[in-house]
């Protein structure tokens, strides 16, 4: 018998209990041992819910119970999640978490502690919800030198951009809809400003290269500046606006950024719409592989957590090596990255065309029928050069091409 304790009976935690109970026979068969949820920790009462029978309000009950081999952390936030996870690992218990903030902030420390105690710290659900990406990156792609990871990593913003593109919906209306459907973070600025995606690409990049990237070091732009006019231009260009998180190897450095991009039809992420996420990994041997699925929501995310429970149960007496040290990964300055830019500036084509061409070179002008503005696509230039050149114009918005 393998006993599991679940910390936090919110959306994901209750999903974990539901999956372990509903699919118990097949999960136990696949593990080769019976699995049961012995405790659920939550401050609240759940009168009438069968979970009430196994509910505790005291973490010490779980920590001191030698029969609990696996602790699932689905509380979210850094504290007390960090203290509980650390204490569980110190007691020689395996930990499976969906908490990306915890993984991004304390990943290497908790991985090292799990190794020292010969148990596992697993976090499949921390990136991409129900999409298998952490274990494939760690195991299936272990023979590869990773050249690039690029993903649509946030369901809320992908849903907003899709609705704006397909149905002409207004940003604020779609955000409210995403919140009502439970996709958005408690504070949706983490979604719309790109911080949620920045945490996710920081985790994936740290795993791919074995060294740490802090999410604060990821260049991050959200989607708040994207307007319905940008969407019209994107359609004219036969492209879609998406927000992607990308890490790209460039010599001995890695450039890492989250920002809106214009994707052409040939791009593997072009057709990923709605709340769906997708992650493309380019290896130096396997070439491109793409993982896609629901990046948020109760059962998809809980399913990823239970996949960790199954792995921890199978490897109950041994540590699975995870390469992720505290050492900082060497990053390329965002200023040095090169892009083609779609640009809108204030003014009239008759006044500005010559100076735009003289400044940016071989541009392609775009006309979507809007007055008092000129739009164009630049050749490839470095970010710092673009910022210097655009100073002579009144910028309305710019979106990079990818
Ligand atoms: N708010 C996140 C999203 C949930 O919209 O993708 C999963 O991290």
């Amino acid at each position: 018998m393998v006993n599991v304790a679940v910390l936090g009976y919110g959306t994901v935690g209750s999903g974990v209990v539901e999956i372990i109970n509903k699919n118990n026979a097949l999960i136990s068969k696949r593990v080769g041992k019976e699995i049961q949820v012995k405790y659920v920790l939550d401050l609240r009462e759940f009168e009438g819910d069968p979970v009430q029978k196994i509910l505790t309000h005291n973490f010490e009950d779980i920590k001191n119970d030698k029969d609990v081999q696996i602790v699932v952390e689905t509380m979210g936030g850094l504290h007390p999640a960090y203290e509980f996870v650390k204490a569980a690992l110190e007691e020689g218990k395996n930990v499976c978490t969906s908490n990306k903030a915890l993984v991004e902030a304390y990943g290497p420390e908790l991985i090292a502690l799990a190794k020292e105690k010969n148990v596992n710290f697993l976090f499949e659900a921390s990136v991409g919800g129900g999409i298998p990406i952490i274990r494939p990156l760690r195991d299936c792609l272990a023979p590869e030198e990773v050249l690039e990871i690029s993903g649509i990593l946030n369901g809320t913003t992908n849903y907003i951009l899709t609705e704006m593109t397909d149905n002409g919906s207004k940003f604020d209306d779609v955000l409210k809809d995403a919140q009502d459907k439970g996709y958005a973070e408690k504070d949706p600025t983490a979604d719309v400003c790109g911080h949620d995606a920045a945490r996710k690409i920081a985790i994936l990049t740290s795993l791919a290269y074995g060294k740490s990237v802090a999410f604060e070091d990821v260049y991050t732009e959200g989607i708040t500046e994207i307007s319905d006019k940008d969407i019209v231009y994107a359609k004219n260009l036969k492209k879609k606006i998406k927000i992607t998180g990308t890490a790209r190897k460039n010599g001995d450095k890695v450039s890492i950024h989250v920002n809106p991009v214009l994707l052409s039809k040939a791009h593997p992420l072009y057709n990923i719409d709605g709340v769906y996420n997708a992650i493309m990994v380019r290896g130096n041997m396997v070439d491109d592989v793409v993982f896609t699925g629901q990046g948020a929501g109760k059962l998809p995310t809980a399913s990823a957590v239970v996949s960790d429970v199954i792995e921890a149960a199978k490897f109950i007496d041994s540590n699975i090596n995870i390469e992720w040290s505290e050492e900082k990964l060497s990053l390329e300055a965002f200023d040095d990255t090169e892009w083609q830019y779609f640009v809108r500036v204030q003014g009239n084509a008759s006044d500005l065309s010559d100076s735009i061409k003289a400044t940016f070179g071989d541009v392609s002008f775009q006309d979507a029928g809007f007055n008092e503005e000129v739009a164009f696509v630049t050749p490839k230039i470095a970010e710092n050069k673009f910022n210097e050149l655009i100073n002579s114009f009144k910028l309305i918005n710019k979106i990079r091409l990818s």
Side-chain angles (χ1 to χ4, degrees):
M1 173 73 75
V2 177
N3 289 298
V4 178
V6 177
L7 314 184
Y9 196 62
T11 308
V12 180
S14 61
V16 168
V17 175
E18 184 178 332
I19 292 173
I20 293 179
N21 288 340
K22 238 183 210 165
N23 285 358
N24 194 272
L26 69 88
I27 290 171
S28 298
K29 211 165 178 186
R30 282 169 187 164
V31 173
K33 293 168 215 161
E34 207 172 309
I35 304 258
Q36 73 164 3
V37 181
K38 187 166 183 190
Y39 297 98
V40 166
L41 175 82
D42 205 290
L43 292 173
R44 298 163 294 179
E45 301 293 339
F46 298 95
E47 299 297 346
D49 185 321
V51 81
Q52 188 72 25
K53 286 205 281 286
I54 54 168
L55 188 70
T56 175
H57 303 305
N58 187 358
F59 175 67
E60 296 296 308
D61 291 345
I62 294 166
K63 190 180 131 190
N64 297 330
D65 187 337
K66 296 274 174 251
D67 290 340
V68 172
Q69 297 107 314
I70 300 175
V71 171
V72 165
E73 188 277 306
T74 47
M75 306 167 71
L78 284 181
H79 304 286
Y82 167 71
E83 288 74 17
F84 287 178
V85 165
K86 199 171 166 185
L89 291 169
E90 271 164 354
E91 285 299 318
K93 299 181 192 306
N94 294 272
V95 174
C96 310
T97 183
S98 60
N99 187 337
K100 64 186 155 286
L102 178 79
V103 175
E104 187 273 325
Y106 296 105
E109 179 192 328
L110 297 170
I111 287 167
L113 179 57
K115 191 172 190 170
E116 186 194 320
K117 297 289 174 182
N118 204 31
V119 290
N120 291 294
F121 174 68
L122 302 171
F123 43 91
E124 181 59 63
S126 65
V127 178
I131 307 171
I133 181 60
I134 300 287
R135 199 167 300 114
L137 190 57
R138 196 193 73 196
D139 292 346
C140 313
L141 296 172
E144 299 295 316
E145 182 188 358
V146 175
L147 305 177
E148 181 173 333
I149 305 173
S150 192
I152 293 175
L153 297 167
N154 182 271
T156 301
T157 47
N158 201 34
Y159 182 65
I160 292 172
L161 291 172
T162 303
E163 287 294 309
M164 286 172 77
T165 302
D166 292 354
N167 301 321
S169 311
K170 295 270 171 243
F171 186 101
D172 290 336
D173 296 342
V174 196
L175 174 59
K176 173 137 192 345
D177 192 22
Q179 285 175 295
D180 292 345
K181 289 190 166 131
Y183 304 145
E185 298 293 300
K186 269 183 209 147
D187 173 5
T189 50
D191 296 300
V192 298
C193 296
H195 303 143
D196 177 74
R199 281 207 164 85
K200 291 167 177 168
I201 193 70
I203 292 171
L204 294 178
T205 308
S206 301
L207 263 184
Y209 297 102
K211 294 180 182 172
S212 291
V213 180
F215 101 99
E216 295 89 343
D217 293 335
V218 179
Y219 176 85
T220 304
E221 275 179 27
I223 61 163
T224 49
E225 301 299 317
I226 305 293
S227 71
D228 41 4
K229 286 187 182 169
D230 293 318
I231 301 278
V232 173
Y233 280 110
K235 283 185 181 170
N236 286 357
L237 282 161
K238 300 203 175 357
K239 293 180 191 292
K240 276 188 194 167
I241 303 172
K242 297 283 180 191
I243 177 166
T244 57
T246 298
R248 196 172 290 127
K249 197 163 190 299
N250 192 358
D252 57 358
K253 293 195 171 178
V254 175
S255 70
I256 179 163
H257 35 85
V258 170
N259 52 279
V261 284
L262 280 156
L263 300 183
S264 60
K265 275 192 180 143
H267 196 284
L269 303 179
Y270 178 90
N271 282 319
I272 307 302
D273 287 330
V275 75
Y276 273 72
N277 285 195
I279 300 138
M280 190 274 292
V281 182
R282 179 168 299 152
N284 67 338
M285 298 293 150
V286 72
D287 204 8
D288 291 358
V289 286
V290 182
F291 303 85
T292 187
Q294 292 187 53
K298 175 177 166 169
L299 291 176
T301 309
S303 176
V305 178
V306 177
S307 79
D308 280 345
V309 171
I310 291 171
E311 185 168 50
K314 281 183 174 173
F315 295 90
I316 205 95
D317 295 320
S318 61
N319 172 260
I320 300 160
N321 190 51
I322 299 179
E323 197 53 26
W324 179 353
S325 76
E326 303 263 9
E327 191 185 335
K328 289 242 177 202
L329 183 68
S330 186
L331 300 180
E332 182 182 54
F334 189 70
D335 267 354
D336 295 336
T337 58
E338 290 189 346
W339 304 84
Q340 272 191 283
Y341 297 80
F342 162 73
V343 189
R344 290 167 56 211
V345 295
Q346 283 178 24
N348 296 307
S350 51
D351 300 332
L352 293 178
S353 299
D354 288 346
S355 58
I356 288 171
K357 278 192 267 185
T359 308
F360 291 98
D362 191 14
V363 300
S364 109
F365 287 101
Q366 305 297 316
D367 186 358
F370 300 124
N371 294 326
E372 305 295 323
E373 64 175 77
V374 184
F376 57 96
V377 176
T378 72
K380 213 170 200 186
I381 36 175
E383 177 78 12
N384 54 3
K385 188 75 185 161
F386 174 83
N387 286 334
E388 185 190 311
L389 297 178
I390 199 66
N391 269 335
S392 328
F393 301 90
K394 287 188 181 139
L395 181 68
I396 300 171
N397 200 10
K398 65 165 191 291
I399 306 174
R400 299 171 187 86
L401 273 61
S402 191

